[in-house]
Amino acid sequence: MKSEHRHGTIIAAFGRRYEIETDDGEILDCFPRGKRSEVACGDRVQVAPTAVGQGVIEVVDPRTSLLYRSDAFRQKLIAANVTQLVLVLAASPTYYQDLLDRCLVAAEHAGIVTIIVLNKCDLDGSAAALQSLRLYQTLGYEVLPLEARTDTSRLRPHLQGHTSVLVGQSGMGKSTIVNGLLPDAAVATAEISAALDSGKHTTTHARLHHLDRDSHLIDSPGLQEFGLHHLKPTDVDLAFVEFRPWLGKCRFANCRHDHEPGCAVTAEAAAGRISDRRVASYRRIVTGLSG
Ligand SMILES: Nc1nc2c(ncn2[C@@H]2O[C@H](COP(=O)(O)OP(=O)(O)OP(=O)(O)O)[C@@H](O)[C@H]2O)c(=O)[nH]1
Ligand SMILES: [Mg+2]
Ligand SMILES: [Zn+2]
């Protein structure tokens, strides 16, 4: 590190502009050096000051994790150095299981723990949604019912010691969770109808909030889709946790667990020990990969 560089953490990402909190607590408005802006909320960076309250990001320190999605053209970074993904779902707006499975795959691939929150448990349809989510409990994921508008306290212990990122479709209540935990944050939230009518998501950029010295929470904009173009089929195999014991046991080494004869995963599904819903999700994901 050059002596004039200052260390800090990216606490907000607005396209190519970033807000950085230096280790001594100052907030700097920064741009990355050069055209590439491969930096995300949660990144540790070294900044060269340019003017009062401003700087240029010179170095991005090595990351412990990087959560991102991608389409055929580019990567979309979600958060860096997080240890946990908090996937926020609700009975209304309806959550998509496909998106849920894709988030789990991305988190498994990034080596991040996932906890599934079913928010808005006051709404009709929540009991059925919880029933449907039992599958994920059997896979080892924590599923936590929540009513963020009235009480977020049962989520708090799960966040202790973690840097967590809230991810989910628009209108699920991610920002409401931040406000519940940190009333001073006063993050904008919106009625679903208002958010959908305007065609915009309420949260437009990721922001990191401090819960305490050791626990941090990143709010992120709602997602409609979660592209996984950066993964290979073998990465997806490993990210479906219930497939792991059967990998390498199919007749063909490059088995895509579809119509191949002698597929160990398909045999487990036929015997009812692996969920058909998950196998169908797996096939949709692998079919959509580039290579
Ligand atoms: N009934 C009910 N509504 C809730 C609950 N939690 C949040 N909401 C409402 O859900 C709507 C959307 O909440 P937000 O927190 O803005 O959702 P978001 O996930 O941050 O949405 P984006 O920023 O667009 O991604 C708001 O009207 C909230 O008041 C809850 O526990 N019960
Ligand atoms: Mg929001
Ligand atoms: Zn197979």
Side-chain angles (χ1 to χ4, degrees):
M1 174 181 126
K2 286 200 198 152
S3 57
E4 67 269 27
H5 284 180
R6 297 179 67 187
H7 272 268
T9 304
I10 305 222
I11 57 163
F14 315 88
R16 274 184 50 77
R17 217 191 94 220
Y18 300 94
E19 220 171 277
I20 287 166
E21 183 179 44
T22 65
D23 291 353
D24 45 17
E26 198 184 333
I27 306 293
L28 300 178
D29 204 8
C30 295
F31 290 90
R33 166 105 42 224
K35 285 211 179 80
R36 285 156 50 98
S37 60
E38 306 270 319
V39 204
C41 205
D43 257 322
R44 292 281 304 158
V45 293
Q46 295 172 36
V47 173
T50 49
V52 176
Q54 289 178 13
V56 169
I57 301 168
E58 297 281 3
V59 180
V60 182
D61 290 347
R63 294 161 171 144
T64 56
S65 73
L66 180 64
L67 184 69
Y68 63 104
R69 54 202 181 101
S70 58
D71 58 23
F73 308 102
R74 61 189 189 110
Q75 299 178 349
K76 297 167 192 176
L77 307 194
I78 299 170
N81 300 320
V82 297
T83 54
Q84 178 167 260
L85 187 155
V86 179
L87 186 51
V88 186
L89 311 175
S92 171
T94 313
Y95 74 84
Y96 302 120
Q97 192 188 328
D98 213 57
L99 194 76
L100 156 59
D101 285 328
R102 285 169 173 274
C103 289
L104 291 178
V105 167
E108 292 290 342
H109 183 69
I112 301 166
V113 189
T114 301
I115 150 167
I116 299 171
V117 167
L118 182 72
N119 190 29
K120 311 196 190 184
C121 273
D122 51 307
L123 296 186
D124 289 349
S126 298
L130 268 180
Q131 179 64 31
S132 167
L133 290 171
R134 287 180 74 150
L135 162 62
Y136 294 91
Q137 273 168 317
T138 66
L139 299 180
Y141 295 103
E142 181 87 38
V143 175
L144 191 77
L146 199 70
E147 242 186 87
R149 215 149 60 171
T150 38
D151 186 11
T152 49
S153 60
R154 50 189 310 192
L155 175 61
R156 183 63 181 85
H158 296 275
L159 306 178
Q160 190 57 38
H162 278 287
T163 298
S164 307
V165 58
L166 296 161
V167 172
Q169 289 156 242
S170 194
M172 295 296 174
K174 299 179 292 298
S175 301
T176 305
I177 289 175
V178 175
N179 287 335
L181 294 164
L182 292 168
D184 290 345
V187 181
T189 62
E191 294 299 329
I192 313 144
S193 54
L196 294 184
D197 282 351
S198 67
K200 279 188 202 144
H201 297 171
T202 309
T203 302
T204 52
H205 61 270
R207 180 174 287 277
L208 183 146
H209 304 270
H210 302 298
L211 295 168
D212 63 31
R213 246 191 85 218
D214 308 316
S215 318
H216 314 279
L217 184 59
I218 297 177
D219 190 10
S220 74
L223 302 167
Q224 300 269 38
E225 51 184 17
F226 203 116
L228 293 168
H229 275 254
H230 53 291
L231 300 189
K232 299 189 292 293
T234 47
D235 296 327
V236 185
D237 277 343
L238 284 168
F240 275 73
V241 292
E242 69 274 48
F243 290 12
R244 287 177 190 167
W246 309 105
L247 299 179
K249 302 212 164 103
C250 302
R251 186 176 307 163
F252 300 108
N254 62 349
C255 187
R256 293 293 162 259
H257 320 310
D258 202 342
H259 287 104
E260 296 91 342
C263 172
V265 171
T266 305
E268 283 304 292
R273 288 187 292 265
I274 290 183
S275 146
D276 290 332
R277 269 157 61 195
R278 288 273 290 173
V279 174
S281 250
Y282 167 86
R283 290 175 184 159
R284 278 193 300 273
I285 292 171
V286 167
T287 306
L289 300 180
S290 41

